[in-house]
């Protein structure tokens, strides 16, 4: 410990029943036992104006550089309890002690005293905080892909005053929308025509002084980190750029129609939507045509998802055919017509057209017959199978996101963005749709998920906002989402590193590259501050100024473990601060009872738990260790992608460690909760404590 | 571009919250105002999100944490924009504030709710658990109690006054006004469910006929340990539920547009039931099942559970059998090409999205959706613009955020 506590303060709030549940004198006494020169104070309502005045004076008078605040949850009054140049540690005596344990009971007192000691020990272990700002900082932004999404992103970013480089592999900008018929049918009477907008956009992009256009160009390589990406562009003469962030808008390709032989692809007159659009563009309009919707989409054998755009795109072609050839006969075979929002108007127009016959059904076969194409349809609503002969058949094939390898990232963890199922590159796509696993690289438009055109425009604008935000955060030395504003970053004590590569492997964000020996090369601006690398490191090389091996170890050891004869178990509970910790707070607010035998340590992510803490706890005499985090799996809720999954995997290995220590595997338990499950988290904790009581004391206790 | 004035975000649902944090993290000052006493809007009341079936509080808590830790954000709840004048760069916004019967000295200790005798009929489902003095849940933001003026007898009762140790309760408090100079404005005023009482022949007046939003709140109440799912009319167990899709949407007499979220919402709700109440039979009556993009995988899951019936057919009416008091759904089953009647315990009307009205004049279309009229400096975001789901709203709000930091 750095000092005896001379410039450390301990402030206890006795409001909100804390004063009734606990004895302030005993808490200050316990704290002083740890740090003899500790300055102590208390107040019946620290958060009130009078309380804040009292606290500010307490800090000033004692020239405090560190303050442990034993009061409500750190999630409360964060904006009030801020003191310049003072390291603040919040000790949660309200929600997680006074409100959830029996007031005045000896066990409650012991829990509170331990939590105070743990807070103070952690506080003493903090090191000087620095922030990381890359030496070279660019605020320019690279947009990869010159379709509607890429052009939109480029224009919107340039309009906000950021220099943009737009890279497109084709000779011309415009992407899929360069050759398109009757585009205005999409927009109904409501939105501006997205296609007109696209045409305007090409002109605007070309004229914008803030955008440099690189057509017929691809990416040779991208290295570095947000604020300082070094980009090599290939177009004859390789060109080097330095950019701060990247928008990836490389779009989509149609699903491979050759996989759809059962729908007649390969026969003359059978086209994909894209191919048919080209024919219509050349004004080659057939006399009769049958559209097969969901050709490959919503099909476990092909694309299990809905491609979102094909219903509207096909209906638009239907209207075009009918307009160009009023004598034409058009058939549409669908499963469900999906025209959400105002696209419903397009559907209504088609329904009102007597030259269009629509049926729900499944296309069984498309074959040649009588010199025309014959389509067999089953499961129709007419109750019988139907055969229809037409000159042409159009397969509404779906959208497949392009591979993100075109980024050519020189990252140890690969050239592209990590993907979820079916090639979607976003991670928390409901709440945080721009969050990819490569910081500063924002996916926009159909490269991420099937989208219609209007959605693409909005999507691209939002992606540019996130790219700009990343550049601004890097300038301030702050992390981006979800630990936005965090200036701490992982610092490595390289002398002890054994090049084991675990940090480089387990970081979900690819923050670490490595040299040929396997030595990690950290890129802190890529880091999202989850601490998974800290948890992964067997040599305890990695730490943050306010979250380190030493801090947590000291906190663990600050607990006074009673000897085995008292029959009072001690259970160490690591709680993920994102979901499990708020859930336990909510349990306290609901006054659910929690066993007073638990000692809680919040962690940045379950994946940040280092196994040395487990052995520290076991050798210190804790009887059980419970780790509670967010749900893993396909629909993971872990805010750092696979932190909770990693913990579960590591727990398996820990069991072997336990065996060698001759301890029962039940002494470590990993559980997952949703943030809304306050009853369940209380149950998990209480049941585990009971189970540990049954196990009996940890044999290392009295050693 | 940094202006000396902040950007004003109107509406503290998921879109407004998103616009606020995205702007503030990009370095801009933001003021967020919300009409209700708490942030979260409609999503804050939902049981779970499709297609991940995860609780909304998970993402909201991260966003609240982003708000708490960001000094560039200030917010007002119980606040409404009542007038806006001036021009881009220097708008004057008049914001009316509801009476602060409980002020910022509140520590969320909960003593007031403990003694409050007045039951507050919040949603019709949580009536037994919410008092006039209340906080909706342990993850509410801001974390403080509120007194619902409509249900408080004020000084006539006054039981809460002596139990508050922090002088936070002021029953005599009056509404107030603040004036703000703002640089740009984002309107993220959101949506409400279409008024189901306008759907003739659907018996919405019957307590066991509920809207999809109400049903989600019933599921939320059950999953958060507040109230069991039963027939509202008599507390009996629910055995059969009918979901009526396009209740008002895609209907010239009501909402001609598709509300874009109701199909996914009903499939989500029936899957939630399949998990928590496998004994309940559910049937979804639809015109088209519209689960776009990866929401399709949810439909795939529903099809394979076996316990969820999906029937193409429009429900004609919902009636109450006067003898048994049970609900009867009459449907035109398109596949069978015949009418059939089903007795059920609960009917969920998948009512559509209607944009909320603002108290300042804004250009809207015939349905009330805000139309971008080219007027500089004011930007609509998310469901006040057109019907969309949560993820799309988040994207659109992020897009609107960028619009406010462009010059011009």
């Amino acid at each position: 410990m750095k000092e005896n506590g001379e410039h450390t303060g301990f402030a206890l709030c006795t409001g909100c029943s804390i004063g009734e549940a606990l004895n302030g004198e005993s808490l200050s006494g316990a704290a002083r036992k740890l740090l003899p020169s500790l300055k102590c104070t208390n107040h019946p309502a620290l958060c009130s104006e009078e309380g804040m005045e009292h606290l500010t004076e307490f800090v000033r008078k004692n020239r405090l550089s560190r303050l442990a605040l034993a009061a409500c949850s750190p999630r409360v009054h964060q904006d009030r309890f801020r003191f310049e140049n003072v390291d603040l540690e919040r000790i949660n005596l309200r929600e997680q002690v006074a409100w959830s344990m029996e007031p005045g009971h000896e066990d409650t007192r012991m829990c509170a005293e331990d939590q105070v000691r743990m807070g103070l020990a952690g506080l003493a272990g903090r090191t000087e905080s620095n922030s990381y700002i890359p030496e070279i900082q660019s605020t320019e932004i690279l947009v990869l892909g010159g379709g509607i999404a890429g052009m939109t992103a480029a224009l919107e970013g340039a309009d906000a005053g950021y220099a943009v480089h737009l890279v497109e592999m084709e000779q011309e900008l415009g992407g899929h929308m360069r050759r398109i018929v009757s585009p205005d049918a999409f927009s109904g009477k409501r939105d501006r025509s997205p296609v007109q907008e696209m045409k305007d956009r090409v002109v605007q992009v070309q004229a914008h002084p803030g955008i440099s256009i690189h057509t017929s160009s691809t990416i040779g390589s991208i290295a570095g980190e947000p604020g300082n990406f070094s980009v090599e562009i290939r177009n004859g003469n390789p060109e080097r750029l330095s950019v701060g962030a990247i928008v990836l808008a490389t779009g989509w390709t149609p699903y491979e129609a050759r996989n759809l032989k059962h729908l007649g692809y390969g026969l003359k007159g059978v086209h994909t939507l894209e191919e048919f659009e080209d024919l219509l563009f050349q004004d080659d309009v057939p006399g009769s045509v049958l559209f097969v919707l969901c050709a490959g989409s919503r099909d476990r054998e092909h694309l299990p998802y809905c491609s979102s755009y094909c219903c509207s795109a096909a209906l638009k072609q239907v209207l075009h055919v009918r307009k160009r050839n009023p004598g034409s006969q058009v058939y549409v075979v669908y499963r469900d017509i999906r025209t959400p929002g105002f696209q419903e108007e397009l559907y209504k127009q088609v329904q009102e057209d007597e030259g269009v016959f629509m049926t729900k059904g499944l296309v069984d076969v498309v074959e040649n017959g009588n010199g025309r194409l014959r389509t067999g349809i089953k499961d129709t609503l007419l109750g019988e199978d139907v055969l229809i002969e037409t000159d042409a058949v159009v397969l509404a094939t779906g959208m497949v996101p392009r591979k993100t390898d075109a980024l050519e990232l020189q990252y140890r963890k690969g050239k592209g963005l990590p993907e979820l199922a079916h090639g979607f590159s976003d991670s928390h796509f409901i709440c945080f749709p721009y969050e990819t696993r490569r910081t500063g690289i924002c996916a926009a438009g159909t490269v991420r998920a099937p989208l219609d055109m209007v959605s693409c425009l909005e999507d691209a604008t939002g992606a540019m906002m996130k790219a700009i935000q990343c550049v601004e955060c890097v300038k301030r030395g702050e992390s981006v989402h979800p630990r936005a504003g965090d200036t701490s970053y992982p610092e490595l004590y390289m002398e002890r590193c054994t090049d084991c590569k675990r940090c480089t492997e387990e970081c979900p964000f690819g923050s670490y590259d490595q040299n040929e020996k396997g030595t990690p090369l950290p890129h802190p601006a890529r880091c999202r501050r989850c601490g998974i690398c800290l948890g992964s490191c067997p040599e305890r090389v990695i730490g943050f100024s306010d979250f380190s091996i030493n801090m947590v170890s000291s906190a663990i050891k600050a607990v006074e473990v009673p000897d085995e004869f008292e029959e009072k178990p001690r259970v160490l509970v690591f709680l993920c601060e994102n979901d499990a910790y708020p859930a336990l707070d909510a349990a306290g607010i609901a006054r659910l009872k929690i066993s007073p035998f638990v000692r809680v340590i919040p962690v940045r992510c379950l994946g940040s738990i280092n196994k040395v803490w487990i052995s520290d706890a076991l050798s210190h005499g804790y009887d059980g260790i419970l780790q509670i985090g967010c749900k893993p799996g396909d629909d993971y809720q872990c805010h750092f992608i696979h932190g909770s999954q990693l913990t579960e995997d590591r727990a398996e290995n820990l069991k072997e460690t336990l065996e060698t220590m001759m301890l029962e595997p039940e002494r470590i338990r990993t559980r997952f909760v949703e943030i809304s499950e306050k009853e369940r988290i209380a149950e998990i904790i209480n049941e585990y404590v009971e189970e540990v009581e049954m196990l009996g004391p940890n044999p290392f206790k009295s050693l | 571009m940094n202006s000396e004035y902040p950007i004003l975000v109107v509406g503290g649902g998921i879109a407004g919250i998103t616009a606020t944090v995205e702007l503030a993290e990009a370095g801009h000052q933001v003021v967020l105002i919300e009409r209700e006493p708490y942030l979260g809007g409609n999503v804050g009341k939902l049981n779970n999100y499709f297609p991940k079936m995860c609780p909304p509080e998970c993402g909201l808590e991260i966003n609240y944490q982003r708000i708490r830790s960001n000094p560039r954000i200030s917010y007002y709840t119980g606040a409404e924009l009542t007038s806006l004048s001036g021009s881009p760069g220097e708008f004057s916004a008049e914001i009316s504030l509801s009476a602060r019967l409980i002020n910022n000295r509140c520590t969320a200790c909960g003593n007031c709710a403990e003694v409050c005798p007045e039951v507050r009929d919040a949603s019709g489902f949580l009536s037994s658990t919410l008092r006039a003095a209340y906080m909706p849940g342990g993850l509410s933001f801001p974390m403080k109690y509120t007194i619902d003026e409509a249900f408080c007898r004020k000084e006539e009762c006054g039981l809460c006054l002596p139990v508050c140790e922090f002088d936070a309760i002021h029953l005599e408090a009056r509404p107030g006004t603040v004036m703000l100079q703002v640089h740009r404005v984002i309107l993220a005023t959101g949506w409400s469910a279409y008024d189901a009482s306008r759907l003739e022949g659907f018996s919405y007046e019957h307590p066991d006929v509920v809207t999809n939003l109400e049903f989600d709140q019933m599921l939320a109440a059950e999953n958060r340990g507040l109230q069991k799912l039963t027939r509202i009319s008599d507390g009996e167990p629910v055995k059969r539920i009918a979901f009526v899709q396009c209740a008002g949407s895609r209907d010239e007499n009501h909402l001609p547009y598709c509300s874009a979220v109701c199909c996914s919402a009903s499939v989500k709700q029936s899957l939630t039931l399949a998990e928590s109440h496998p004994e309940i039979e559910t049937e979804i009556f639809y015109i088209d099942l519209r689960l776009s993009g990866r929401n399709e995988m949810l439909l795939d899951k529903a099809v394979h559970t076996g316990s969820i019936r999906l029937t193409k057919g429009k429900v004609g009416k919902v009636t109450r059998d006067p003898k048994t008091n049970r609900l009867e759904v009459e449907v035109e089953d398109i596949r069978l090409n015949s009418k059939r009647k089903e007795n059920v315990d609960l009917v969920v009307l998948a009512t559509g999205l209607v944009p909320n009205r603002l108290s300042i004049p804004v250009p809207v279309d015939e349905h009330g959706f805000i139309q971008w009229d080219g007027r500089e400096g004011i930007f609509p975001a998310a469901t006040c613009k057109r019907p969309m789901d949560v993820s799309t709203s988040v994207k659109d709000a992020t897009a609107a955020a960028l619009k406010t930091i462009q010059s011009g």
Side-chain angles (χ1 to χ4, degrees), chain A residues 413-440:
Chain A
K413 295 294 286 289
K415 291 179 171 181
L417 303 177
E419 291 167 1
L420 301 174
H422 321 297
F424 301 128
S425 55
D426 41 12
S427 49
H428 292 281
F429 56 86
I430 302 172
C431 299
F432 309 110
Y434 295 108
E435 186 184 46
T436 69
R437 288 170 54 186
R438 295 294 175 262
T439 307

Side-chain angles (χ1 to χ4, degrees), chain A residues 178-488:
Chain A
R178 273 172 299 160
R179 292 154 67 81
I180 193 162
V181 296
S182 295
D184 294 344
F186 278 130
S187 49
K189 48 186 187 273
R190 206 163 310 263
D191 300 298
R192 285 171 301 169
S193 158
V195 175
Q196 189 50 49
E197 204 153 297
M198 188 278 300
K199 286 183 182 149
D200 295 348
R201 252 154 232 248
V202 175
V203 177
Q204 287 167 12
V205 165
Q206 284 165 341
H208 205 298
I211 303 175
S212 22
I213 304 172
H214 310 255
T215 44
S216 306
S217 303
T218 54
I219 299 296
S221 67
I222 296 178
E225 60 185 340
N228 185 21
F229 284 116
S230 152
V231 180
E232 188 206 325
I233 296 181
R234 287 209 179 124
N235 57 356
N237 324 316
E239 210 179 319
R240 282 210 165 272
L241 299 174
S242 171
V243 301
I246 297 163
V247 173
L248 176 73
T250 45
W252 59 284
T253 51
Y255 181 67
E256 179 51 73
R258 273 174 294 187
N259 297 338
L260 302 172
K261 292 241 162 51
H262 64 295
L263 296 179
Y265 192 73
L267 298 179
K268 192 172 178 305
V270 179
H271 318 286
T272 64
L273 272 182
E274 286 267 295
E275 292 162 354
F276 194 57
E277 190 86 16
D278 271 347
L279 289 177
L280 295 179
F281 197 75
Q282 294 153 26
D283 214 16
D284 181 353
V285 184
S288 61
V289 55
L290 181 140
F291 286 84
V292 183
L293 302 193
C294 297
S297 297
R298 304 181 60 190
D299 184 337
R300 283 183 170 186
E301 303 285 306
H302 300 282
L303 302 177
Y305 53 85
C306 159
S307 293
S308 299
Y309 94 108
C310 357
C311 281
S312 301
L315 294 180
K316 182 213 73 171
Q317 290 185 351
V318 170
L319 288 180
H320 184 80
V321 168
R322 293 285 304 140
K323 189 170 79 185
R324 298 300 300 164
N325 184 354
S328 59
Q329 183 62 50
V330 180
Y331 304 87
V332 179
V333 186
Y334 65 91
R335 290 172 63 194
D336 295 282
I337 292 288
R338 292 185 170 171
T339 45
F342 303 138
Q343 291 175 29
E344 185 68 13
E345 286 167 17
L346 173 62
Y347 182 26
K348 214 172 292 167
Q349 273 180 335
V350 174
Q351 282 174 304
E352 284 162 5
D353 187 333
E354 288 178 358
V356 184
F357 173 77
M358 300 189 72
T359 181
K360 187 174 161 85
L362 286 175
V363 172
D364 201 17
V365 62
V366 179
E367 58 194 7
N368 284 320
N370 302 335
R372 302 175 82 195
L373 290 162
R374 189 191 292 145
T375 305
I377 310 160
K378 59 176 189 178
D379 281 346
T380 66
L381 296 172
L382 307 170
E384 57 200 40
D385 293 354
V386 179
L387 273 180
I388 293 174
E389 283 184 6
T390 51
D391 300 330
V393 168
V394 177
L395 305 180
T397 48
M399 250 181 202
V400 181
R402 267 189 211 277
K403 287 280 155 216
T404 57
D405 291 0
L407 281 166
E408 296 290 343
L409 295 177
Q410 305 299 298
Y411 282 32
R412 155 163 161 57
K413 295 294 286 289
K415 291 179 171 181
L417 303 177
E419 291 167 1
L420 301 174
H422 321 297
F424 301 128
S425 55
D426 41 12
S427 49
H428 292 281
F429 56 86
I430 302 172
C431 299
F432 309 110
Y434 295 108
E435 186 184 46
T436 69
R437 288 170 54 186
R438 295 294 175 262
T439 307
I441 303 176
C442 307
T446 50
V447 69
R448 181 180 64 212
L451 291 176
D452 64 49
M453 246 181 303
V454 177
S455 303
C456 266
L457 300 180
E458 293 157 353
D459 192 44
T461 310
M464 178 50 81
M465 177 69 194
K466 291 299 283 186
I468 289 170
Q469 185 190 69
C470 179
V471 162
E472 294 298 327
C473 285
V474 169
K475 267 200 224 167
R476 300 191 300 263
E478 293 176 2
S479 170
V480 296
H481 172 93
R483 295 185 60 84
D486 189 354
T487 53
S488 74

Side-chain angles (χ1 to χ4, degrees), chain B residues 331-344:
Chain B
V331 64
E332 178 90 48
D333 188 321
I334 294 181
R335 194 166 289 276
L336 301 177
N337 196 18
S338 70
K339 276 201 174 131
R340 75 180 152 96
K341 291 178 177 172
E342 293 292 336
N343 281 314
V344 298

Side-chain angles (χ1 to χ4, degrees), chain A residues 15-16 20 44-45 47-50 75-80 82 94-95 99 156-157 159-160 189-190 192 298 300 304-306 308 334 336-342 344 347-348 360 379-381 420 422 424 426-434 448-451 454-455 458-459 461-462 464-466 468-469 472-473 476 478 481-482 484 578-579 582 586 589 591 635-637 639 674-676 678-679, chain B residues 1 21-27 49-55 57-59 61-63 65-66 68-72 104-111 135 138-139 143 145 165-166 223-226 250 252 256-260 286-294 296-297 299-301 304 312 334-335 365-367 369 371-372 385-388 390-392 394-396 398-399 401-403 405-407:
Chain A
C16 295
E20 287 101 83
C47 63
S48 65
E49 270 164 53
E50 310 83 75
R75 295 168 53 253
V76 188
H77 295 317
Q78 221 169 68
D79 49 341
R80 264 177 236 185
R82 257 181 213 146
R94 190 176 77 159
E95 286 84 345
W99 286 359
E156 299 288 355
D159 278 349
K189 48 186 187 273
R190 206 163 310 263
R192 285 171 301 169
R298 304 181 60 190
R300 283 183 170 186
Y305 53 85
C306 159
S308 299
Y334 65 91
D336 295 282
I337 292 288
R338 292 185 170 171
T339 45
F342 303 138
E344 185 68 13
Y347 182 26
K348 214 172 292 167
K360 187 174 161 85
D379 281 346
T380 66
L381 296 172
L420 301 174
H422 321 297
F424 301 128
D426 41 12
S427 49
H428 292 281
F429 56 86
I430 302 172
C431 299
F432 309 110
Y434 295 108
R448 181 180 64 212
L451 291 176
V454 177
S455 303
E458 293 157 353
D459 192 44
T461 310
M464 178 50 81
M465 177 69 194
K466 291 299 283 186
I468 289 170
Q469 185 190 69
E472 294 298 327
C473 285
R476 300 191 300 263
E478 293 176 2
H481 172 93
N578 299 299
D579 287 10
I589 291 167
R591 307 301 196 270
D635 283 333
Y636 59 81
Q637 291 173 18
H639 294 274
E674 296 189 349
I675 192 168
S676 53
K678 58 178 186 297
E679 285 84 8
Chain B
M1 171 187 38
V21 292
E22 300 304 355
L23 277 167
E25 286 167 17
Y49 283 148
F50 59 79
K52 284 177 74 169
M53 314 296 278
C54 49
E57 294 98 320
C58 171
E61 172 65 21
I62 291 280
N63 281 328
Q65 181 57 26
R66 292 163 82 186
R68 285 181 208 122
S69 61
N70 198 317
R72 287 180 286 271
N104 281 338
R105 295 178 63 92
C106 174
T107 65
C109 77
N111 288 354
M135 180 165 79
L139 299 167
M143 197 187 277
Y145 279 73
E165 295 165 23
F166 307 101
N223 286 337
R224 284 151 187 75
L226 297 172
R250 302 179 66 188
E252 289 298 336
Y257 52 86
C258 160
S259 292
Y286 66 90
I287 309 175
D288 292 285
L289 279 172
R290 295 187 165 171
L291 293 93
S292 297
R294 57 187 128 197
E296 173 67 19
M297 264 85 90
L299 180 57
D300 187 66
K301 218 187 271 178
H304 290 88
K312 186 169 168 88
I334 294 181
R335 194 166 289 276
D365 70 6
E366 68 267 38
H367 311 297
F369 288 104
Q371 297 257 278
W372 169 245
K385 235 167 78 175
R386 66 164 207 273
M388 56 177 87
V390 174
S391 182
T392 313
V394 169
K395 290 188 273 189
D396 196 37
T398 312
L402 178 51
K403 289 288 187 184
I405 60 171
Q406 293 171 344
S407 50

Side-chain angles (χ1 to χ4, degrees), chain A residues 89-200:
Chain A
E89 177 77 24
R90 301 279 299 267
I91 300 166
N92 186 343
L93 290 187
R94 190 176 77 159
E95 286 84 345
Q96 297 186 7
V97 180
W99 286 359
S100 49
M101 295 173 190
E102 196 179 325
H105 195 280
E106 189 199 10
D107 293 332
T108 307
R109 172 184 64 80
M110 289 166 94
C111 178
E113 287 176 8
D114 275 341
Q115 291 292 158
V116 166
R117 280 189 282 261
M118 291 163 90
L120 285 167
L123 186 59
R126 291 202 194 182
T127 54
E128 203 185 328
S129 60
N130 305 301
S131 55
Y132 173 82
I133 299 176
E135 266 174 49
I136 306 170
Q137 268 184 70
S138 170
T139 57
E140 299 183 9
I141 294 168
L142 172 73
V143 176
L144 186 54
I148 183 94
M151 285 193 299
T152 303
L155 276 172
E156 299 288 355
D159 278 349
Y162 293 82
V164 176
H165 298 272
L166 179 60
V167 173
E168 164 60 41
M169 65 178 176
E170 306 273 340
Q171 280 178 313
E172 286 172 70
L173 298 174
H176 288 275
M177 312 240 325
R178 273 172 299 160
R179 292 154 67 81
I180 193 162
V181 296
S182 295
D184 294 344
F186 278 130
S187 49
K189 48 186 187 273
R190 206 163 310 263
D191 300 298
R192 285 171 301 169
S193 158
V195 175
Q196 189 50 49
E197 204 153 297
M198 188 278 300
K199 286 183 182 149
D200 295 348

Side-chain angles (χ1 to χ4, degrees), chain B residues 197-338:
Chain B
S197 63
R198 294 169 71 174
L199 300 168
E200 253 176 73
F202 282 75
S203 296
Y204 181 59
E205 65 287 353
H206 191 289
D208 295 330
V209 181
V210 297
T211 66
N212 47 3
L213 194 55
E214 290 166 342
F215 188 60
D216 230 85
Q217 285 166 257
M218 289 169 73
L219 293 172
E222 178 167 77
N223 286 337
R224 284 151 187 75
L226 297 172
Q227 196 158 315
K228 283 251 162 280
L229 179 71
T230 57
R231 287 210 303 237
I232 298 159
S233 58
D234 56 8
E236 289 295 309
V238 175
K239 294 184 196 121
R240 303 192 71 196
I241 301 185
F243 289 89
V244 179
Q245 297 309 110
C246 296
S249 297
R250 302 179 66 188
D251 183 335
E252 289 298 336
N253 298 319
H254 299 283
L255 307 174
Y257 52 86
C258 160
S259 292
V261 298
C262 342
C263 283
S264 297
S266 291
V267 172
K268 173 200 83 172
Q269 291 174 346
S270 56
L271 279 169
T272 304
L273 283 170
E275 182 118 328
S276 61
H277 289 281
E279 77 285 2
I280 297 180
E281 289 173 39
T282 56
E283 185 161 11
I284 301 177
F285 300 102
Y286 66 90
I287 309 175
D288 292 285
L289 279 172
R290 295 187 165 171
L291 293 93
S292 297
R294 57 187 128 197
N295 294 341
E296 173 67 19
M297 264 85 90
L298 211 58
L299 180 57
D300 187 66
K301 218 187 271 178
V303 167
H304 290 88
T305 53
S307 66
I308 300 166
R309 279 178 78 183
L310 299 161
T311 301
K312 186 169 168 88
K314 187 133 173 85
V315 171
K317 53 184 173 190
V318 178
T319 49
R320 182 184 71 93
D321 182 335
K323 272 179 275 167
T324 61
N325 198 24
R326 285 198 74 184
L327 290 166
E328 192 174 74
V329 175
E330 192 178 304
V331 64
E332 178 90 48
D333 188 321
I334 294 181
R335 194 166 289 276
L336 301 177
N337 196 18
S338 70

Side-chain angles (χ1 to χ4, degrees), chain A residues 132-133 225-226 479 489-490 511 521-529:
Chain A
Y132 173 82
I133 299 176
E225 60 185 340
S479 170
Y489 67 95
S511 295
L521 306 170
H523 294 281
R526 294 182 195 166
C527 170
R528 304 268 261 275
R529 279 76 168 174

